[in-house]
Amino acid sequence: MASEKILESKKAKVAALTEMLQDSVSFVLVDYKGISVEDDTKLRKELREAGVHYVVEKNSMLRFAFKDMGIDAFDEVLHGTTAVALSKDDQTAPARVLGKFAADHEDFFNLKAGYVEGVAYDASGVEKLSKIPSKEVLLAQLVGSLQGPIQKLAATLQAVVDSKSEDTAA
């Protein structure tokens, strides 16, 4: 009887994990073996500030959740210690934060794989994703690049107006 309760509990946990993964636009799997409490606390703080949910989960539970989602791309990375970071609204936030942390702590923290809007990425793909700026930064860069030519046009038009007003005054 007790094993039946345990099985039902695990099924409910897998269902909740599956729902959490399906509701996210992206997630990244990492190997965190050997991380200190201090480093883990700093990492979790950075992830929270970026709006990323971070959870350590058993590989078997993740395997079942991915199976429920119809994803089989992560079977080879689901070994050892595994944590998953996911975001519901920013496609690159988990990769950005974890990629930066992994680069600074290569000796004990490694990217395993990632998933962004239906596309699975290996560790090198996640590393490339981590270098993409946030949506806000990209929008600011776009506005900045559009603003330069508009300012030049406005200055040129103002110069024409000023020269015409000087011509009529003279």
Side-chain angles (χ1 to χ4, degrees), residues 24 63 75:
S24 66
R63 197 172 282 113
D75 287 344

Side-chain angles (χ1 to χ4, degrees), residues 112-125:
K112 287 185 171 187
Y115 194 77
V116 179
E117 292 188 343
V119 180
Y121 294 91
D122 61 3
S124 65

Side-chain angles (χ1 to χ4, degrees), residues 7-18 56-58 61 65:
L7 182 61
E8 289 304 316
S9 166
K10 288 182 179 184
K11 283 182 181 180
K13 188 170 185 175
V14 168
L17 183 60
T18 303
V56 172
E57 192 54 72
K58 288 183 176 183
M61 295 295 179

Side-chain angles (χ1 to χ4, degrees), residues 16-42:
L17 183 60
T18 303
E19 184 179 341
M20 185 172 64
L21 290 166
Q22 286 175 330
D23 288 346
S24 66
V25 293
S26 66
F27 59 82
V28 174
L29 301 170
V30 295
D31 180 358
Y32 62 91
K33 189 173 191 160
I35 191 170
S36 69
V37 172
E38 181 182 348
D39 286 334
D40 188 53
T41 302
K42 287 179 187 176

Side-chain angles (χ1 to χ4, degrees), residues 27 29 63 66 71-78 113-115 120-121:
F27 59 82
L29 301 170
R63 197 172 282 113
F66 292 143
I71 301 171
D72 61 357
F74 304 122
D75 287 344
E76 68 274 0
V77 299
L78 291 177
Y115 194 77
Y121 294 91

Side-chain angles (χ1 to χ4, degrees), residues 19 38 51 54 59 62 72 101 112-113 129 132 140-141 144-145 149 153 158:
E19 184 179 341
E38 181 182 348
Y54 181 77
N59 291 320
L62 286 168
D72 61 357
F101 190 84
K112 287 185 171 187
L129 282 172
I132 297 173
Q141 289 173 347
S145 66
L153 176 63
Q158 188 61 46

